[in-house]
Amino acid sequence: MLVAPSILSADFANLGQEVEDICKAGADLVHVDVMDGRFVPNMTIGPLVVEAVSKTASVPLDIHLMVEDNSFFVDLFAPLRPKFITFHYESEDHHHRIAQKIRDYGVSPGIVINPATPVSFLGEIVKYVDMVLVMSVNPGFGGQRFIPVFDKIRELKELIETKNPDCLIEVDGGVNDSNVKALKESGVDIVVAGSYVFGKKDRAEAISSLKV
């Protein structure tokens, strides 16, 4: 299991040190939540801050767009060369176009679905992405309670095995040491954890507990 701590829960007054700490503690990716205050009722960070994070991080960035204008934000963040850029199924009409735009930048595209969005909606686009991110909370804020998505992940795993076996599954929201084993058994490859990691004094221990 790969672990991508979300800097949404970091101390932004010491963001550089926070990013350095989680990288040294064993993070596989640094998860960056980009919110526009329209698709979700919150706003976060722009490309200048993310560029600074990319210079501090010793592992790749995993950028999660929670925005309405995906094309605009891809142009802002793709030049920073993250490993992944994921965008929400619910915020986009032209899924293939955005996935191809991300790939044209040399970045791996991923698509995100909210807890209430059926896996069946991904039937065509899953062939064109490298990762599907399943939200296990409603997007917009950190520290929310986990919504069980185990059956959904199993259904998604079956779809992926049929149409795109190399596609990864990531889960974001309320992940901790009490549900990570079940997530792994359901078919998850990467977990995002914000408050669980940054809320612990020993970040290495927290990250290690998720690598089941």
Side-chain angles (χ1 to χ4, degrees):
M1 181 78 80
L2 300 181
V3 179
S6 169
I7 62 171
L8 184 63
S9 298
D11 176 3
F12 272 63
N14 299 288
L15 186 56
Q17 186 62 54
E18 293 275 77
V19 171
E20 186 176 331
D21 286 351
I22 60 169
C23 291
K24 289 181 178 178
D28 300 290
L29 298 159
V30 174
H31 189 82
V32 180
D33 292 301
V34 175
M35 308 179 190
D36 64 355
R38 300 181 67 185
F39 178 64
V40 292
N42 196 6
M43 297 180 69
T44 53
I45 55 181
L48 290 178
V49 174
V50 178
E51 183 177 13
V53 168
S54 71
K55 291 177 179 178
T56 304
S58 57
V59 298
L61 301 189
D62 171 25
I63 295 180
H64 174 191
L65 299 181
M66 289 172 263
V67 301
E68 289 189 352
D69 190 343
N70 289 292
S71 182
F72 173 77
F73 281 91
V74 168
D75 285 334
L76 285 182
F77 289 100
L80 301 178
R81 307 294 294 178
K83 171 64 177 173
F84 297 103
I85 293 180
T86 57
F87 64 97
H88 272 260
Y89 179 92
E90 303 85 4
S91 70
E92 183 57 50
D93 293 325
H94 305 287
H95 304 101
H96 179 270
R97 180 184 298 169
I98 296 299
Q100 188 59 53
K101 181 170 188 170
I102 294 169
R103 198 177 295 283
D104 286 345
Y105 272 106
V107 178
S108 291
I111 196 157
V112 191
I113 52 174
N114 285 336
T117 300
V119 168
S120 60
F121 286 11
L122 302 178
E124 292 304 315
I125 188 60
V126 75
K127 295 182 289 187
Y128 302 101
V129 296
D130 296 338
M131 182 166 71
V132 175
L133 169 53
V134 177
M135 295 300 299
S136 45
V137 297
N138 288 295
F141 297 93
Q144 298 184 65
R145 183 177 298 178
F146 178 80
I147 297 172
V149 290
F150 305 112
D151 289 343
K152 189 172 196 173
I153 293 163
R154 283 188 281 267
E155 182 184 353
L156 174 60
K157 187 70 173 178
E158 290 182 6
L159 175 67
I160 285 172
E161 287 176 350
T162 301
K163 296 200 171 186
N164 184 6
D166 293 328
C167 183
L168 300 173
I169 299 175
E170 184 176 51
V171 167
D172 181 2
V175 174
N176 56 44
D177 58 350
S178 68
N179 55 33
V180 69
K181 185 177 180 182
L183 288 170
K184 170 78 176 229
E185 291 171 350
S186 299
V188 175
D189 303 292
I190 306 170
V191 290
V192 177
S195 55
Y196 178 75
V197 171
F198 285 102
K200 297 282 178 38
K201 288 185 178 180
D202 190 337
R203 273 80 182 270
E205 181 181 356
I207 291 171
S208 177
S209 72
L210 299 177
K211 293 192 174 188
V212 295

